Amino acid sequence: PLMFIFYIYIYIEKDDVVVATDGRRYDVRLRERKRYSVYWEQKPAVVKRCSWFHKGNKDMTYTPYSEELSDILEDAYMIAVTLDEWKQNLELPTGETVILHNPKLMMQYPSSYKDFPPSPTERTQPRTLKRGIENIPIVDHLVFMVHGIGPACDIRLRGIVQCVNEFRIASNSLIKSHFRQSEDLCIIGRVEYLPVNWHKVLHGESTGVDKDIERITLPSISRLRQFSNDTVLDLFFYNSATYCQTMVDTVASEINRLHSLFLQRHPHFTGHVSLVGHSLGSLILFDLLTNQETDADGKPHEVCSSAIILHEDAHVDTGCSSYESLEEVLKGHGLEEHLSVLHSEQVDMESLMLCSEKDLKDVGIPLGPRKKIMNCVKKWKHSRTGSGHAAQNETHSPSLGMRNAHEHQTPTTSAVDYQHFDVGIGQVSIDYPQLAFHPQALFAMGSPIGMFLTVRGLKRIDPNYSFPTCKSFYNIFHPFDPVAYRIEPMILPQDVDLLPMLIPHHKGRKRMHLELKEGLTRVSSDLLGSLRMVWQNISQIPSPALAEDFECSFSNLNICAAVPPMEQKERNFTKVGMLNRGRRIDFVLQETPIESFNEYLFAIQSHLCYWESEDTALLVLREIYGNIPVRNALS
């Protein structure tokens, strides 16, 4: 049930009053008393119209009155305001007594108050009344959250909408506990989190992939095979040029659609936008951001409205796909000066399709023209094979992004070109769409990005590489997550062994069992230091037998010694490439005491823990708000 209705956005639609609620994520039709979701598909929910609320001394939030009691309180309040007569007793049908002392002090007393007013020492205390909701923080940051493999996102098998709601609740709670002063001073507002669902489109009727897989699935162990088809196969689909294009198009199209819809409902929004990806979703976002393009002034390429909502008569310019000769390609992009070089190498349009970027570099074509030529070749390939944006002329539902993008076409088999760009991230050669904004940061949770880059043939990420349109990148993982991989070792020299950054506990301390482990580590280190000093002193004594016994004991103790605390290594090394502007990239959560007993038992759960992790939510808030003071411990 709804606890609050925010009266911040009201309009008339078909003789019905519509109220935007819950941060404008829902519309409530007052005549129907039903709430409809705006950004995702969800069954309408029954709501109550609440205008009066009460709260006890120990309550954290206000509780709404019923509509009947709210009408009684509203009538009494309007009479008091009109006649300027306060401190009148109002007896409610429930037996409680309400006294409106003044517009800012209104109290509800128990039923026994009229005959025997309670003393301050009694447990039954009056409740504070409040009319309406005020001081609603304005959204100053927007975050899109992309899920991983399968339709379920957490251990309770909830979908992306429910998990994002859980993350939003944790974030709002942390703002009130850790950023209370900044919120009261209106230095910060509120972070809005919106879910991005790509699984439904990939496994929908438009692609037909589920029916194709079902025909070749063995009948044995049916439940396990069904689970594998719904989840694990998504990893293989992403390595397919055909379905990788569908997945990337869906994510980008849905993000752009939600972004456009959000701006319509928040016309005064001037904040930043960030991206969060879980598991495979983080890899999709990583590849998208790697392939974003900017104009000469650093602005993103303009995304036309047809990329967000396509209609039957929409026309999409295929760019290079309309060219039939090498001369037309080069002249169309102002690169005709390089035509003589290609002609000297007997390169025509057909042979250009077989060239890699390294081939163009070897014949002396500069970096800028190389990028333009290779981008044009990619689009020309997809226009001929029937993949990519050529399929976008089909109609699709705006609420589901690219639902019908492949409905009327048969996928064709073509050679997949794995390109190794200068920045060193070989990936499937597809046409990557452009986002309508520059993200502030990418947060990867439980991400296999490092593993995918490695199996693509990438051994090292250039330390000078950064996303074209995104400033920051954070790789967040649980220490027992079997799907997560690190990023920093791919950037740092091989002789540098840097432990990941330990994410602070949201209550401002390390977990007790980790503090105990660290304390034992320090004791072991101190003991070893003392033993070394003793050994140096007695080693001068000519006693081979004594030395042999002591050396044996020393080696046994050395086996039990633990590595130094992470903070010591952090002091010695600070800059890690430019993916996160030289700052640290890998961040590890603290396992709970029960998880530390058996890391294998909690492996699956650790991969799905991020949606409910307050430590993860606090890290996101810290990085979003930058230098805003954070309260380290709860009172």
Side-chain angles (χ1 to χ4, degrees):
L2 284 183
M3 298 300 292
F4 301 103
I5 292 183
F6 301 153
Y7 294 86
I8 57 176
Y9 185 62
I10 304 176
Y11 58 95
I12 306 297
E13 183 178 292
K14 296 181 180 179
D15 299 328
D16 193 4
V17 178
V18 180
V19 181
T21 67
D22 298 84
R24 303 189 185 183
R25 294 186 299 275
Y26 296 88
D27 280 342
V28 172
R29 301 186 182 276
L30 293 186
R31 295 185 187 277
E32 298 182 31
R33 291 295 196 272
K34 289 186 178 180
R35 184 187 69 165
Y36 295 85
S37 61
V38 175
Y39 295 103
W40 55 81
E41 293 183 347
Q42 182 178 328
K43 292 183 179 180
V46 178
V47 299
K48 294 182 179 180
R49 186 176 186 179
C50 305
S51 54
W52 282 83
F53 306 85
H54 61 87
K55 184 181 74 168
N57 292 334
K58 297 183 179 180
D59 295 337
M60 296 295 295
T61 59
Y62 281 91
T63 302
Y65 283 100
S66 65
E67 292 194 39
E68 294 77 11
L69 292 179
S70 294
D71 291 339
I72 295 174
L73 292 171
E74 184 68 17
D75 291 341
Y77 177 82
M78 294 307 298
I79 292 174
V81 171
T82 304
L83 302 178
D84 196 22
E85 294 181 357
W86 302 91
K87 298 185 179 180
Q88 300 292 326
N89 289 6
L90 172 64
E91 188 172 347
L92 300 178
T94 55
E96 289 91 347
T97 300
V98 171
I99 299 181
L100 306 179
H101 296 280
N102 57 59
K104 295 185 177 180
L105 179 59
M106 297 172 283
M107 307 296 295
Q108 172 188 309
Y109 298 91
S111 56
S112 60
Y113 171 81
K114 184 177 181 181
D115 299 324
F116 304 99
S119 63
T121 58
E122 293 185 16
R123 293 184 178 180
T124 306
Q125 297 293 328
R127 306 183 72 83
T128 303
L129 269 65
K130 188 175 184 180
R131 180 177 181 266
I133 296 295
E134 57 187 21
N135 298 328
I136 302 171
I138 299 175
V139 176
D140 58 3
H141 204 99
L142 175 62
V143 177
F144 294 107
M145 308 191 79
V146 182
H147 65 84
I149 62 174
C153 297
D154 68 352
I155 199 67
R156 288 185 277 176
L157 303 180
R158 295 182 300 177
I160 179 64
V161 174
Q162 291 77 17
C163 289
V164 171
N165 288 342
E166 189 82 24
F167 196 90
R168 185 187 303 110
I169 292 173
S171 175
N172 292 339
S173 177
L174 288 168
I175 285 180
K176 294 188 177 300
S177 60
H178 289 67
F179 299 84
R180 181 178 301 172
Q181 182 177 1
S182 299
E183 184 186 32
D184 293 341
L185 296 175
C186 296
I187 298 176
I188 66 172
R190 183 172 61 86
V191 181
E192 180 60 280
Y193 301 89
L194 295 181
V196 178
N197 190 336
W198 55 263
H199 185 271
K200 188 174 183 178
V201 178
L202 176 64
H203 293 268
E205 296 181 358
S206 59
T207 63
V209 64
D210 283 6
K211 293 182 180 179
D212 296 336
I213 293 295
E214 185 178 356
R215 289 198 300 268
I216 60 176
T217 301
L218 299 180
S220 58
I221 53 174
S222 57
R223 292 185 179 180
L224 180 59
R225 295 186 190 277
Q226 183 62 42
F227 172 79
S228 176
N229 291 348
D230 289 340
T231 55
V232 180
L233 284 184
D234 288 342
L235 296 173
F236 295 96
F237 288 145
Y238 193 67
N239 283 327
S240 161
T242 299
Y243 295 112
C244 179
Q245 186 72 62
T246 301
M247 296 164 72
V248 171
D249 282 344
T250 301
V251 170
S253 175
E254 184 69 358
I255 289 178
N256 284 337
R257 183 188 72 85
L258 293 173
H259 181 256
S260 176
L261 184 57
F262 176 84
L263 293 181
Q264 293 176 18
R265 299 178 67 83
H266 298 262
H268 302 294
F269 176 75
T270 58
H272 295 283
V273 184
S274 291
L275 303 173
V276 172
H278 176 240
S279 190
L280 180 60
S282 65
L283 178 64
I284 297 175
L285 292 176
F286 186 92
D287 287 343
L288 261 176
L289 293 182
T290 299
N291 289 275
Q292 294 299 291
E293 300 174 3
T294 59
D295 295 330
D297 56 358
K299 295 181 179 180
H301 283 306
E302 183 178 354
V303 180
C304 60
S305 58
S306 61
I308 301 173
I309 301 178
L310 296 178
H311 302 281
E312 292 183 2
D313 57 350
H315 173 71
V316 180
D317 183 13
T318 55
C320 302
S321 61
S322 61
Y323 297 122
E324 295 295 335
S325 66
L326 180 62
E327 290 78 5
E328 292 180 357
V329 171
L330 298 182
K331 291 180 180 180
H333 289 77
L335 303 173
E336 57 269 16
E337 60 181 295
H338 304 288
L339 186 60
S340 59
V341 176
L342 296 177
H343 277 168
S344 65
E345 297 291 336
Q346 298 183 358
V347 175
D348 55 12
M349 197 64 181
E350 184 176 354
S351 57
L352 182 62
M353 292 180 60
L354 302 176
C355 291
S356 65
E357 188 171 355
K358 185 178 183 302
D359 295 330
L360 298 180
K361 183 178 181 181
D362 291 340
V363 297
I365 296 180
L367 176 62
R370 284 204 312 269
K371 293 294 185 182
K372 292 181 180 180
I373 294 174
M374 295 309 300
N375 182 57
C376 194
V377 168
K378 285 196 299 182
K379 293 181 179 180
W380 201 74
K381 286 181 181 179
H382 292 305
S383 69
R384 297 189 63 182
T385 58
S387 61
H389 288 291
Q392 291 185 0
N393 287 321
E394 302 295 340
T395 307
H396 74 278
S397 169
S399 63
L400 291 177
M402 300 296 297
R403 175 185 293 178
N404 298 319
H406 298 270
E407 186 173 1
H408 301 295
Q409 77 173 44
T410 302
T412 58
T413 302
S414 60
V416 178
D417 178 19
Y418 285 87
Q419 296 184 5
H420 296 264
F421 301 107
D422 287 346
V423 296
I425 49 163
Q427 54 198 136
V428 178
S429 178
I430 65 171
D431 189 6
Y432 284 91
Q434 302 297 301
L435 298 179
F437 54 88
H438 278 186
Q440 175 178 308
L442 168 61
F443 298 90
M445 305 187 307
S447 174
I449 293 175
M451 181 269 291
F452 268 82
L453 295 182
T454 301
V455 299
R456 288 171 179 173
L458 176 65
K459 296 183 179 296
R460 186 170 181 267
I461 299 177
D462 190 333
N464 295 320
Y465 174 72
S466 61
F467 293 128
T469 62
C470 183
K471 297 180 180 178
S472 302
F473 174 51
Y474 303 87
N475 185 38
I476 306 169
F477 53 90
H478 190 284
F480 303 156
D481 189 340
V483 180
Y485 289 82
R486 293 194 60 186
I487 296 294
E488 291 176 346
M490 301 187 69
I491 303 174
L492 298 172
Q494 294 185 357
D495 59 343
V496 176
D497 185 15
L498 187 65
L499 295 176
M501 284 287 290
L502 187 67
I503 299 177
H505 192 274
H506 66 281
K507 291 187 177 181
R509 56 170 175 78
K510 284 187 178 180
R511 295 186 183 273
M512 186 175 298
H513 68 289
L514 294 179
E515 291 180 345
L516 179 60
K517 184 188 298 185
E518 185 175 310
L520 293 176
T521 300
R522 291 195 184 100
V523 171
S524 300
S525 300
D526 294 342
L527 179 59
L528 284 175
S530 300
L531 289 175
R532 287 192 183 97
M533 292 180 62
V534 174
W535 170 249
Q536 290 175 358
N537 292 331
I538 67 174
S539 61
Q540 300 175 0
I541 302 175
S543 177
L546 179 61
E548 182 178 355
D549 293 341
F550 190 85
E551 184 176 1
C552 179
S553 301
F554 182 83
S555 62
N556 291 335
L557 284 172
N558 195 33
I559 293 175
C560 300
V563 295
M566 184 184 62
E567 289 82 358
Q568 296 180 6
K569 288 192 175 183
E570 174 63 17
R571 296 194 197 103
N572 298 329
F573 200 95
T574 56
K575 188 173 182 179
V576 185
M578 294 307 297
L579 261 178
N580 196 21
R581 294 176 291 180
R583 302 174 60 204
R584 296 298 303 275
I585 297 174
D586 291 337
F587 293 82
V588 60
L589 291 166
Q590 302 179 39
E591 73 271 17
T592 62
I594 191 173
E595 290 173 337
S596 62
F597 284 110
N598 192 324
E599 55 191 55
Y600 293 97
L601 184 63
F602 293 94
I604 300 300
Q605 178 177 322
S606 66
H607 181 59
L608 306 173
C609 73
Y610 306 97
W611 305 106
E612 297 180 348
S613 171
E614 293 174 298
D615 297 349
T616 301
L618 182 58
L619 174 63
V620 172
L621 290 174
R622 285 175 182 269
E623 300 307 324
I624 280 177
Y625 287 125
N627 297 325
I628 298 296
V630 180
R631 191 178 176 188
N632 290 327
L634 297 177
S635 56

